[in-house]
Amino acid sequence: MCGAGGSLRSSRGKCMDVDQDVVLLHQFQRGKYCPNLSPYALKVEAFLRLADIKYEVDTKKPFGPKGKCPWITINGEDVADSQFILEHLTERFNVKIDNRLGQQKAASLEAVRILADEHLFWCVVTWRYWLDGCVTFLKSQSFPPKLHRAFPLFMKRGMKRRAKHHGIGLHSPEQIYHICRKDCATLASILGEDDFFGGDEPCTSDCSVFGQLAQLMWNAPGSHYQALLTETYPNLDRYCHRMKDRVFPDWDQLLDPPQ
Ligand SMILES: N[C@@H](CCC(=O)N[C@@H](CS)C(=O)NCC(=O)O)C(=O)O
């Protein structure tokens, strides 16, 4: 485990100089147009910023104790799964960004979060890695040339297996797009002309929705999936830019290469 402050060692042996109460966010490397290819990593990073929690980023060990990205280390303790991370941090730092939501609104927003994190996600990654064979996605990443060749081979096969196991992969490409479009239509109707899903200010569920929609908005350049926001549901397009400006004013500097 760790000493008090200074150098923290998590249970996975990661050693990095991080102060007490500073979150070490383990995630993938930055992308060309969006700071992360993982919707869940972007969700956690957005939350850390909204909640004003100090953090540093590690990209050397993106996969955590549950074999997924992202995960965090705080004061020597590892926490995996984006939702558990947000709940852990909310308690640890007494985060109040959802306090102004009534019980009914908070419950509706939890349903919105689940739609984004557990439903929309599967449409996007099934298309990204399997149906489209990573072609569009790779345009949004600054991977080294060697990885550009190996990545699609590896991801396409793995994603096909996972998507079929999940069930989404049993549908045709048209049906998967149809499901994705319906998810976007639902989100667009719920958002309406509000600035954020939380209303005038972003709330915790906004982090999830933004993390997922950002994948369509910035990591699917020129595709019919991106067009769901840029053409079909422009209030979601405006929402993505509003969240970007509000939460990531340094977005361009985070990109690889920085803009
Ligand atoms: N429920 C997890 C999902 C995380 C997840 O699926 N992450 C993906 C990257 S977007 C991943 O690590 N996939 C690797 C794998 O499944 O082997 C969370 O909310 O953090």
Side-chain angles (χ1 to χ4, degrees):
M1 291 294 277
C2 64
S7 183
L8 301 180
R9 182 181 289 280
S10 80
S11 61
R12 282 169 61 80
K14 175 77 198 168
C15 205
M16 228 172 118
D17 283 333
V18 181
D19 286 341
Q20 189 78 9
D21 283 342
V22 174
V23 170
L24 186 55
L25 170 60
H26 310 272
Q27 60 178 357
F28 298 124
Q29 299 212 348
R30 303 300 190 183
K32 269 191 206 165
Y33 311 119
C34 177
N36 223 279
L37 65 90
S38 164
Y40 305 106
L42 200 59
K43 163 186 170 178
V44 173
E45 193 163 9
F47 179 83
L48 288 163
R49 286 164 168 245
L50 271 182
D52 215 7
I53 297 169
K54 289 202 183 82
Y55 72 97
E56 290 182 27
V57 168
D58 158 54
T59 56
K60 291 205 168 70
K61 283 194 173 182
F63 298 108
K66 293 182 181 172
K68 303 262 185 192
C69 171
W71 58 295
I72 63 161
T73 307
I74 174 160
N75 298 337
E77 187 185 350
D78 297 333
V79 187
D81 188 282
S82 64
Q83 197 54 28
F84 284 137
I85 292 170
L86 268 47
E87 289 176 21
H88 182 90
L89 295 176
T90 298
E91 200 175 311
R92 175 72 188 77
F93 292 98
N94 192 18
V95 177
K96 295 190 167 72
I97 59 176
D98 289 352
N99 281 15
R100 66 202 157 71
L101 306 170
Q103 203 181 355
Q104 197 176 5
K105 177 81 173 164
S108 305
L109 286 169
E110 174 62 0
V112 166
R113 176 192 77 75
I114 292 166
L115 183 151
D117 272 354
E118 310 293 346
H119 200 256
L120 177 61
F121 167 78
W122 281 99
C123 301
V124 178
V125 292
T126 301
W127 171 74
R128 174 194 281 181
Y129 296 124
W130 173 27
L131 303 177
D132 190 51
C134 306
V135 173
T136 307
F137 168 69
L138 283 173
K139 293 180 195 157
S140 69
Q141 302 302 310
S142 297
F143 292 166
K146 214 165 77 181
L147 201 55
H148 265 265
R149 285 190 294 277
F151 192 80
L153 297 172
F154 174 73
M155 289 304 288
K156 216 173 152 176
R157 207 172 33 223
M159 195 64 231
K160 180 177 176 182
R161 184 175 44 77
R162 281 168 196 226
K164 284 190 183 280
H165 189 66
H166 171 274
I168 186 91
L170 304 174
H171 304 312
S172 69
E174 293 75 24
Q175 286 171 326
I176 294 171
Y177 183 70
H178 170 79
I179 294 169
C180 188
R181 185 187 171 114
K182 277 193 83 175
D183 283 354
C184 290
T186 303
L187 291 172
S189 296
I190 292 172
L191 179 66
E193 288 312 310
D194 284 354
D195 280 351
F196 303 102
F197 284 85
D200 294 340
E201 286 295 318
C203 66
T204 302
S205 292
D206 277 290
C207 301
S208 291
V209 177
F210 177 65
Q212 300 292 340
L213 289 182
Q215 305 308 314
L216 295 174
M217 189 72 218
W218 289 288
N219 283 337
S223 70
H224 57 314
Y225 273 77
Q226 183 191 45
L228 284 173
L229 308 193
T230 54
E231 289 170 26
T232 316
Y233 301 109
N235 68 331
L236 295 182
D237 178 328
R238 291 193 296 276
Y239 167 76
C240 284
H241 283 93
R242 201 175 294 122
M243 276 294 285
K244 167 181 173 278
D245 294 345
R246 168 79 166 74
V247 186
F248 291 92
D250 54 344
W251 181 278
D252 288 352
Q253 288 78 60
L254 292 177
L255 302 178
D256 181 14
Q259 297 303 301

